[in-house]
Amino acid sequence: MQHLIPCATIAILLLVNLATNAATPKIIIGEAKEINYVTHLYTLAGIGGEDAEYCSSYAGTLPKEAIDTLSHYSTYLQFGRTVNGALAGPFFFGVASEDIPDREAMEAVVERIIAESASQPDGVKRACRAVGNVYVDNYQHYLDSVYPRVKRQLAGRIDTLNAMLGENTIIADWQRVLGRKWEYGDYRFLLFRAGENSPSFNDLNKNTNTLYYNIETDFAMAMFSHEFGIFMMRDTIMPIFMEMRQKLEEDGRSPYIPWNAFESLACWYGCKIAGGESADVKYFDRADVHTLMEIYNSLEKEGITDFPTLYRTAIARYVSQLEE
């Protein structure tokens, strides 16, 4: 005898099946015009790291007056380890995270930035207007004459990295070691063509990061995991980070210790996932990563496994060792 299944039951079964078979979030490599424009300006103006090859290849694509203006206000635009110029946020990270299809849209973005700087000191406001004019006046030329060439140069690298990532388990691995769930879908890395030796791996939003296109492949693969781990932990860690940094500054200690401990925690988990020392560890030598990872090993042996507690306790122990 045929048994009939109620329509409501069928609907529930279909939803369960769809949830079960939903695509697992992946690490995906792509590109965007906005991050490439920002790094184009920064590189040609010599703000941050140097890229002689790019400057040679793209000489003449930005007027000297524009380069001079950006260079003149470079102190406001530079950014680095936890210390940024007053305009680095809006003009690097802000513009890079926007969807800006043309000059008119860029002008609207810049006018918003200028309006938001109204309460800043006069020097910042003058810099904001001058830098904003450079961003607006040169954007359409970049889109028409530079970006098509950049896209062609990035295409092969994007294909190569996506093929290597394939059915990657980075997100699943981090969910497992942290005991947390990632809820923001695919995680993207946007390649930029300009800026060798300038800062890579800068987050733009909850699931988007950036990197220089020609970074050594083994290191890039390790950093895909490292940066995703940073994002997985960030919302929980940052309040502790700010609290500990303030306390250390009040005590006359280096404000970089919480940053060092955070990057080292990501390296420590990355080594667990890799089953050995991962390629990102060497990059963080300046963070005293081996010392901090040893502290994390000791804390784990003591039974501390919750990553916020590991982080807070490691900073305190690291500082106490400095005092010995």
Side-chain angles (χ1 to χ4, degrees):
M1 181 178 179
Q2 185 176 15
H3 295 280
L4 299 178
I5 301 176
C7 290
T9 303
I10 293 173
I12 291 170
L13 290 172
L14 285 171
L15 287 172
V16 170
N17 186 57
L18 285 171
T20 301
N21 294 312
T24 302
K26 294 184 175 67
I27 308 294
I28 296 175
I29 313 303
E31 49 81 22
K33 56 191 177 300
E34 295 80 11
I35 182 62
N36 275 283
Y37 181 57
V38 167
T39 51
H40 172 78
L41 296 179
Y42 267 65
T43 299
L44 293 179
I47 304 171
E50 298 178 356
D51 192 337
E53 185 275 329
Y54 187 88
C55 290
S56 175
S57 297
Y58 289 88
T61 59
L62 189 64
K64 183 180 183 302
E65 313 85 77
I67 293 174
D68 289 345
T69 297
L70 295 176
S71 299
H72 180 73
Y73 292 110
S74 62
T75 302
Y76 294 102
L77 296 167
Q78 287 174 338
F79 64 94
R81 222 171 76 196
T82 77
V83 180
N84 298 331
L87 298 178
F91 279 110
F92 188 94
F93 300 100
V95 171
S97 66
E98 294 272 359
D99 179 12
I100 309 176
D102 52 32
R103 185 189 189 281
E104 184 178 357
M106 177 64 78
E107 189 169 18
V109 169
V110 167
E111 287 302 321
R112 188 180 73 233
I113 293 171
I114 290 171
E116 290 171 353
S117 73
S119 61
Q120 294 287 339
D122 289 344
V124 175
K125 287 189 285 189
R126 283 194 297 272
C128 191
R129 172 61 70 179
V131 169
N133 287 341
V134 171
Y135 272 60
V136 172
D137 292 345
N138 295 282
Y139 191 51
Q140 198 61 51
H141 174 71
Y142 177 82
L143 294 179
D144 295 340
S145 303
V146 180
Y147 188 56
R149 180 179 167 190
V150 167
K151 285 188 70 171
R152 289 193 296 271
Q153 292 175 325
L154 293 177
R157 184 64 169 160
I158 289 170
D159 291 344
T160 297
L161 291 174
N162 278 325
M164 291 185 71
L165 284 165
E167 296 297 320
N168 72 82
T169 61
I170 292 172
I171 294 178
D173 290 337
W174 277 96
Q175 290 183 139
R176 173 176 51 80
V177 297
L178 295 180
R180 300 288 178 95
K181 185 178 179 181
W182 174 253
E183 298 178 341
Y184 300 105
D186 292 334
Y187 186 91
R188 299 185 304 152
F189 283 89
L190 301 179
L191 301 192
F192 55 87
R193 172 67 179 81
E196 183 181 21
N197 301 323
S198 63
S200 285
F201 304 107
N202 294 295
D203 53 286
L204 299 182
N205 55 45
K206 284 288 188 183
N207 65 345
T208 306
N209 208 316
T210 68
L211 77 157
Y212 180 64
Y213 85 113
N214 203 25
I215 284 178
E216 183 182 352
T217 300
D218 287 347
F219 174 63
M221 296 296 286
M223 286 300 292
F224 294 152
S225 176
H226 180 99
E227 288 295 296
F228 179 76
I230 290 286
F231 263 62
M232 277 284 286
M233 295 186 283
R234 181 169 182 157
D235 286 350
T236 303
I237 289 292
M238 286 312 293
I240 306 171
F241 175 99
M242 299 303 295
E243 173 195 337
M244 298 300 282
R245 186 173 72 172
Q246 180 178 347
K247 183 177 186 305
L248 289 168
E249 287 180 325
E250 290 171 353
D251 293 342
R253 291 289 185 183
S254 170
Y256 295 124
I257 292 173
W259 180 87
N260 295 346
F262 193 12
E263 298 289 3
S264 297
L265 182 59
C267 288
W268 183 69
Y269 277 118
C271 291
K272 283 181 169 292
I273 290 169
E277 185 166 296
S278 52
D280 56 326
V281 172
K282 184 177 180 181
Y283 181 68
F284 292 101
D285 280 347
R286 68 190 186 281
D288 201 7
V289 62
H290 288 98
T291 300
L292 281 156
M293 288 202 303
E294 280 302 311
I295 292 174
Y296 287 125
N297 284 333
S298 298
L299 294 175
E300 184 183 45
K301 289 176 183 176
E302 294 170 19
I304 301 174
T305 57
D306 179 61
F307 75 83
T309 308
L310 278 167
Y311 177 69
R312 182 187 291 276
T313 310
I315 293 173
R317 187 161 297 184
Y318 183 81
V319 171
S320 69
Q321 288 184 7
L322 293 176
E323 295 172 347
E324 292 176 358

